[in-house]
Amino acid sequence: MHKLPVILSLAMVSTFTGAQAPQPIPNQSTTSPPPAAQRPSESVTPQWVRAREDFPPPPVPTPAQAPGVGEAPAPAPATGYGAAAKAQPQPSAVASDPNGVAPLPPLAPPPGGALDFNAAKAAIAPFTPNEIIKLRRSLDDTRKAKAYRPVRTVPRISSITVDLSPGAALPIARMLPGEMATLVFTDMAGHAWPLAAAPRVSDARSFEVEWLQDTASIVISSRSSYEDGNLVVMLRGHATPVMIKLVTGEPDSAGKNRIVDYRLDLRIPGRAPGAPSAITGPEKIALYDEAMQGFLDGLPPKEAVAVALHGDVPSRTQVWQFAGALYLRTKVNIRSAFDQTMASSDGTRVYRLPPTPYIALSDGDRSVIVGLEIN
């Protein structure tokens, strides 16, 4: 009997056994790449600088470090770490007690004696009291020498009327290094006149100029002792620029004191935008009267005589008699008739009026009668 080989095809096996035919492995190269990260919108401006996100790749072993085919890797160097190190017991220098706390060795008492005391005293206080006093005096002399200034400052608060006509002299602001000068612009009635734009300085290396926006004040600091410059100021609603001369120390002057304008009120002829209507007419306002300017600045002429006042006198009210007239300096309103007046940025006013034994003032909501002793 012949044995016939039985040949079963893979299809027949699959039919009887229910197994599925192997599926072809997809080609990895044909897969689509992952979508790229979305780029941020170019219109958004970054506000912060981010740290770098691309870390450096790991180090690649060199051919000398990589083991060859069929070779065993080189043994690792012996260290004090790992299971092998833990398996080896380490000898203990100090025997521990049953509680697991190692006892401390006994402390040896320090050897006494005058030698050790002197060494400790030299370490704590190496100088004698007299030497310490000399050091303090030397330190004080050094501080005095550092703070010494050849020219001392005389602070001054003053005001001036600016003449904008051709050929007129420029207003001068006096300053020194380490001192700040403030310029305040007002109209002829004493109301603040704000600036239209930031001022411009001729030399920013010698002068630092700061302006508080929407105000009438400028702060100037000098960086040099013997440099000059100028400042250009544009006032709101005023077509003519205001030029101001900036001066520091005078190289040819041998004086030890110098006046510094801590605050300089610059009175501009005209009315500031938005200022309230003036009750006093323009003919009553003195712009270029040197005598009234001196009384307003608190520097009356030498010939002026102070007048004694009686009654309910408001604070900061003074009266002088000069050149056949009375000059009243006060911060309250006057009710008596007067000839001319001049104002500063803080509300202080000077009135010139004919000689009279009484002056009527208005202090808030009450009327005040002030008596004068006139010679």
Side-chain angles (χ1 to χ4, degrees):
M1 180 178 180
H2 298 283
K3 297 182 179 179
L4 299 177
V6 180
I7 302 175
L8 300 178
S9 65
L10 182 60
M12 297 175 61
V13 174
S14 301
T15 303
F16 289 100
T17 61
Q20 297 180 358
Q23 301 294 331
I25 299 177
N27 188 4
Q28 298 296 334
S29 60
T30 61
T31 58
S32 59
Q38 297 181 357
R39 300 178 59 184
S41 177
E42 297 180 355
S43 61
V44 179
T45 304
Q47 300 296 332
W48 299 92
V49 179
R50 296 181 179 274
R52 296 189 58 182
E53 298 180 358
D54 49 340
F55 293 95
V60 179
T62 59
Q65 295 177 354
V69 180
E71 296 181 359
T79 62
Y81 303 93
K86 294 182 180 179
Q88 298 178 2
Q90 300 293 333
S92 176
V94 180
S96 60
D97 61 354
N99 297 329
V101 179
L104 296 176
L107 298 177
L115 181 60
D116 296 333
F117 173 79
N118 294 334
K121 182 180 179 181
I124 296 175
F127 301 102
T128 63
N130 292 333
E131 292 175 343
I132 295 176
I133 293 175
K134 292 181 180 180
L135 288 176
R136 294 296 298 269
R137 289 177 178 174
S138 177
L139 177 61
D140 189 66
D141 294 339
T142 303
R143 290 176 176 174
K144 289 180 181 180
K146 181 181 178 181
Y148 174 76
R149 301 181 65 178
V151 180
R152 306 301 298 180
T153 301
V154 179
R156 183 69 53 83
I157 297 177
S158 57
S159 58
I160 186 175
T161 301
V162 180
D163 190 355
L164 299 177
S165 60
L170 296 179
I172 298 176
R174 301 160 294 186
M175 55 196 64
L176 281 178
E179 307 286 349
M180 288 188 176
T182 304
L183 307 182
V184 182
F185 297 87
T186 64
D187 60 5
M188 60 182 183
H191 303 294
W193 199 320
L195 277 68
R200 301 296 299 271
V201 65
S202 60
D203 189 1
R205 297 171 300 178
S206 301
F207 300 95
E208 181 180 359
V209 181
E210 295 178 331
W211 167 57
L212 184 60
Q213 193 172 3
D214 297 331
T215 64
S217 300
I218 298 175
V219 180
I220 307 176
S221 300
S222 174
R223 298 177 176 176
S224 178
S225 300
Y226 301 100
E227 296 293 340
D228 294 348
N230 66 316
L231 189 69
V232 182
V233 177
M234 299 298 298
L235 298 178
R236 187 178 301 174
H238 202 283
T240 305
V242 180
M243 306 296 297
I244 304 167
K245 181 68 174 178
L246 307 178
V247 298
T248 55
E250 299 178 2
D252 300 334
S253 176
K256 298 298 182 181
N257 299 324
R258 180 166 178 79
I259 298 176
V260 174
D261 292 316
Y262 274 34
R263 195 191 82 201
L264 178 62
D265 296 345
L266 298 169
R267 191 181 304 105
I268 308 299
R271 180 182 171 189
S277 300
I279 301 176
T280 305
E283 68 281 355
K284 292 282 188 177
I285 299 177
L287 293 178
Y288 306 102
D289 193 320
E290 295 183 1
M292 295 193 69
Q293 186 69 62
F295 286 112
L296 183 62
D297 294 341
L299 300 173
K302 296 180 180 180
E303 296 81 7
V305 179
V307 178
L309 306 178
H310 301 284
D312 190 4
V313 182
S315 60
R316 300 181 182 179
T317 298
Q318 297 172 290
V319 178
W320 292 270
Q321 189 173 3
F322 173 72
L326 295 178
Y327 290 83
L328 169 66
R329 185 176 189 267
T330 183
K331 297 191 71 172
V332 300
N333 296 325
I334 188 173
R335 300 181 59 187
S336 301
F338 62 91
D339 297 333
Q340 283 189 324
T341 182
M342 182 179 288
S344 65
S345 62
D346 67 330
T348 303
R349 289 181 173 273
V350 171
Y351 300 91
R352 186 178 66 191
L353 60 162
T356 176
Y358 299 98
I359 297 177
L361 303 176
S362 178
D363 188 4
D365 56 350
R366 64 189 184 95
S367 298
V368 178
I369 304 297
V370 178
L372 289 72
E373 291 185 3
I374 303 176
N375 297 329

